């Protein structure tokens, strides 16, 4: 009898070890995944919803709350650029007096290592992988405003050893996409309707418009100007020469219909711009006598207004409606700016501010250093359509953050 009990106990122990080994090695919920040799996966790997937890469910309580309303979504680096989608409330179907499902914000982003697409529900704190199509090494993602497509950019090496920049239209659901021209300087998107791509040429640059699905391609302009940075301003485009404190910069309004250039700013050293979607104004920074200035230009009147804080235009995002901006404002802005910041020689520790452009009133939103003892150099800021949630990437380590406004 005693021998039988020993045998039974041994079997139970062995089974327990096997179960534990399974969950440890084969059902790990971490974001980091292996990268197969085929950059697109074995057969497209299209999935509607990937359940991540060891129990076969989405990860609940995802993200790390580092301070009230401030959450670090990812511990691993993400591709620069995320999209914030407002999810409206759902009324109760059982009774008009019972609460339904409250509104939420879904943040879509791409893990840099694997290229997998993830969705994070801010209020529910649920993380779900919505596509496991593998595309490793993505550095940048430019999204349509509905989160359905991301134009991703990454480095590739040719057989002769030369490096190139590839741009691929990646559907968020893992469906089939398409490649754009190789070595594009930039891709910009107007809502869900129009894609602008900028290609360097021997004589300058070529600007092209198309639909997000790759149709209706037409050349907007061919210019002798090179190293431009562009963004949509309504149906038109603001194109600005690449910023440097040692060079005069110029900014142009490019007609979306005929591609004609009209100068709106310059010459200004270190000039960088951020137009609003409405096409009414442009936020811009420039350097004069080793000091950085932040101003906003009204495109109708061409009047410029100085703002009470100093930061770089790339560290801001327009609030929906185009009458306010949210910015990462460095606690100290010194040195050869913006050049050293672009080169990665210098990083900043930011506070997040909201600036009302009508009243010029600046309001502190959050100071990560004070509330969480964390230094964040905020870039790639994004906001949802209801101004409920602010998303940004920490340039220092590539992690993704969200602040519940």
């Amino acid at each position: 009898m005693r021998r039988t009990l020993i045998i039974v106990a041994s079997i139970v122990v062995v089974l327990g070890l096997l179960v534990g080994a399974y969950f440890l090695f084969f059902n790990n919920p971490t974001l980091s995944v292996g990268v197969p040799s085929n950059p697109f996966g074995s057969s497209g790997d299209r999935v509607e919803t990937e359940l991540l937890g060891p129990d076969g469910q989405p990860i609940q309580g995802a993200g790390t709350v580092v301070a009230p309303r401030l959450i670090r979504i990812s511990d691993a680096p993400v591709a620069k650029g995320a999209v914030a989608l407002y999810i409206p409330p759902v009324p109760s179907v059982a009774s008009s007096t019972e609460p339904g499902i409250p509104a939420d914000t879904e943040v879509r982003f791409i893990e840099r290592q694997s290229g997998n697409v993830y969705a994070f529900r801010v209020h529910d704190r649920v993380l779900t992988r919505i596509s496991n199509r593998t595309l490793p090494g993505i550095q940048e993602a430019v999204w349509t405003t509905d989160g359905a497509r991301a134009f991703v950019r990454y480095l590739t090496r040719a057989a002769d050893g030369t490096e190139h920049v590839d741009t691929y239209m990646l559907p968020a659901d893992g469906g089939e996409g398409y490649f754009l021209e190789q070595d594009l300087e930039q891709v910009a998107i107007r809502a869900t309707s129009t894609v602008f791509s900028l290609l360097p040429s021997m004589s300058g640059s070529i600007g092209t418009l198309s639909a997000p699905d790759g149709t209706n391609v037409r050349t907007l302009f061919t210019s002798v100007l090179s190293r431009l940075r562009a963004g949509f301003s309504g149906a038109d485009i603001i194109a600005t020469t690449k910023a440097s404190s040692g060079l005069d910069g110029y900014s142009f309004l490019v007609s979306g219909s005929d591609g004609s250039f009209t100068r709106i700013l310059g010459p200004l050293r270190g000039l960088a711009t951020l137009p609003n979607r409405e096409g009414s104004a442009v936020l811009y920074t420039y350097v004069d006598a080793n000091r950085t200035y932040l101003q906003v230009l009204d495109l109708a009147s061409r009047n410029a207004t100085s703002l009470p804080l100093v930061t770089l235009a790339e560290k801001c995002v327009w609030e929906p409606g185009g009458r306010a901006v949210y910015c990462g404002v460095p606690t100290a802005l010194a040195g050869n700016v913006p050049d050293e910041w672009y080169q990665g020689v210098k990083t900043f520790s930011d506070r997040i501010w909201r600036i009302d452009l009508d009243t010029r009133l600046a309001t502190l939103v959050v100071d990560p250093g004070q509330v969480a003892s964390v230094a964040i150099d905020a870039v790639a800021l994004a906001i949802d359509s209801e101004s409920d949630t602010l998303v940004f990437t920490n340039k220092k380590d590539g992690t993704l953050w969200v602040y519940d406004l």
Side-chain angles (χ1 to χ4, degrees), residues 294 307-309 323-325 327 353-357 360-362:
L294 178 67
L307 298 179
L309 299 174
R323 299 313 309 163
V325 292
C327 297
W353 291 78
R354 179 185 183 272
I355 308 174
D356 187 299
L357 301 181
R360 298 180 64 248
L361 176 65

Side-chain angles (χ1 to χ4, degrees), residues 93-112:
V93 296
S95 170
S96 59
T97 60
E98 294 182 9
I101 301 174
D104 206 339
T105 302
E106 181 173 289
V107 179
R108 293 191 176 186
F109 65 96
I110 299 175
E111 185 193 24
R112 185 186 298 175

Side-chain angles (χ1 to χ4, degrees), residues 285-360:
T285 52
Y286 67 95
V287 177
D288 185 29
N290 295 322
R291 291 187 60 185
T292 303
Y293 296 86
L294 178 67
Q295 297 188 341
V296 62
L297 178 71
D298 185 290
L299 288 176
S301 66
R302 295 294 198 269
N303 290 330
T305 303
S306 296
L307 298 179
L309 299 174
V310 178
T311 186
L312 304 177
E314 297 95 329
K315 297 173 72 63
C316 298
V317 64
W318 284 91
E319 186 178 78
R323 299 313 309 163
V325 292
Y326 287 87
C327 297
V329 178
T331 55
L333 189 63
N336 183 17
V337 178
D339 303 62
E340 291 181 345
W341 185 68
Y342 290 155
Q343 296 160 7
V345 175
K346 178 184 290 293
T347 61
F348 301 120
S349 295
D350 296 339
R351 300 184 180 104
I352 306 298
W353 291 78
R354 179 185 183 272
I355 308 174
D356 187 299
L357 301 181
D358 293 323
T359 63
R360 298 180 64 248

Side-chain angles (χ1 to χ4, degrees), residues 127-151:
L127 180 68
T128 307
R129 184 167 64 181
I130 59 176
S131 169
N132 65 352
R133 186 162 195 165
T134 307
L135 192 61
I138 293 175
Q139 299 299 309
E140 181 183 21
V142 184
W143 292 83
T144 54
T145 53
D146 61 359
R149 295 181 173 94
F151 289 76

Side-chain angles (χ1 to χ4, degrees), residues 4 8 17 20 49 58 62 78 111 129 154 168 209 234 244 261 302 309 335 352 363 379-380 401 404:
T4 301
V8 171
L17 291 173
T49 299
V78 302
E111 185 193 24
R129 184 167 64 181
Y154 57 97
Y168 182 76
L209 295 177
S244 172
F261 279 59
R302 295 294 198 269
L309 299 174
I352 306 298
T363 305
V379 295
W401 296 71
D404 188 2

Side-chain angles (χ1 to χ4, degrees), residues 14-343:
V14 171
L15 289 175
L17 291 173
L18 290 174
V19 171
Y22 168 79
F23 282 108
L24 178 62
F25 295 106
F26 298 104
N27 205 24
N28 195 330
T30 179
L31 283 176
S32 299
V33 297
V35 179
S37 57
N38 180 356
F40 293 101
S42 58
S43 60
D45 295 333
R46 179 171 181 169
V47 291
E48 289 292 325
T49 299
E50 178 68 19
L51 304 180
L52 295 179
D55 57 354
Q57 297 297 318
I59 294 178
Q60 307 287 331
T64 302
V65 179
V66 300
R69 299 157 65 186
L70 180 63
I71 301 173
R72 184 177 66 243
I73 297 177
S74 70
D75 292 322
V78 302
K80 180 182 175 182
V83 63
L85 307 174
Y86 175 72
I87 309 298
V90 178
S92 172
V93 296
S95 170
S96 59
T97 60
E98 294 182 9
I101 301 174
D104 206 339
T105 302
E106 181 173 289
V107 179
R108 293 191 176 186
F109 65 96
I110 299 175
E111 185 193 24
R112 185 186 298 175
Q113 177 186 352
S114 66
N116 292 172
V117 183
Y118 291 86
F120 177 75
R121 290 291 179 100
V122 176
H123 298 156
D124 290 342
R125 290 185 57 206
V126 174
L127 180 68
T128 307
R129 184 167 64 181
I130 59 176
S131 169
N132 65 352
R133 186 162 195 165
T134 307
L135 192 61
I138 293 175
Q139 299 299 309
E140 181 183 21
V142 184
W143 292 83
T144 54
T145 53
D146 61 359
R149 295 181 173 94
F151 289 76
V152 299
R153 293 159 58 74
Y154 57 97
L155 286 174
T156 58
R157 189 180 297 275
D160 60 2
T162 59
E163 286 190 337
H164 298 275
V165 177
D166 280 358
T167 304
Y168 182 76
M169 193 286 287
L170 178 68
D173 64 359
E176 294 298 323
Y178 63 89
F179 281 99
L180 283 73
E181 291 184 85
Q182 199 170 56
D183 293 324
L184 291 175
E185 186 107 24
Q186 186 190 1
V187 172
I189 298 177
R190 182 189 182 201
T192 60
S193 63
T194 311
V195 177
F196 171 79
S197 59
L198 188 66
L199 180 68
S201 69
M202 295 294 292
S203 58
S205 55
I206 302 170
T208 302
L209 295 177
S210 66
D213 62 3
T215 60
N216 301 326
V217 180
R218 69 179 179 93
T219 299
L220 179 62
F221 65 78
T222 300
S223 173
V224 296
L225 297 173
S226 60
R227 298 176 64 80
L228 294 171
R229 299 296 298 171
F232 274 99
S233 173
D236 299 322
I237 289 170
I238 300 296
T240 305
T241 53
K242 189 171 182 180
S244 172
S245 61
L247 297 173
D248 286 335
Y250 298 86
S251 186
F252 303 88
L253 178 67
V254 183
S255 170
S257 57
D258 60 18
S260 59
F261 279 59
T262 302
R263 190 174 74 179
I264 58 172
L265 289 168
L268 292 170
R269 297 291 176 98
L271 178 64
T273 57
L274 181 69
N276 64 7
R277 294 178 180 176
E278 291 76 13
S280 60
V282 178
L283 185 74
Y284 68 99
T285 52
Y286 67 95
V287 177
D288 185 29
N290 295 322
R291 291 187 60 185
T292 303
Y293 296 86
L294 178 67
Q295 297 188 341
V296 62
L297 178 71
D298 185 290
L299 288 176
S301 66
R302 295 294 198 269
N303 290 330
T305 303
S306 296
L307 298 179
L309 299 174
V310 178
T311 186
L312 304 177
E314 297 95 329
K315 297 173 72 63
C316 298
V317 64
W318 284 91
E319 186 178 78
R323 299 313 309 163
V325 292
Y326 287 87
C327 297
V329 178
T331 55
L333 189 63
N336 183 17
V337 178
D339 303 62
E340 291 181 345
W341 185 68
Y342 290 155
Q343 296 160 7

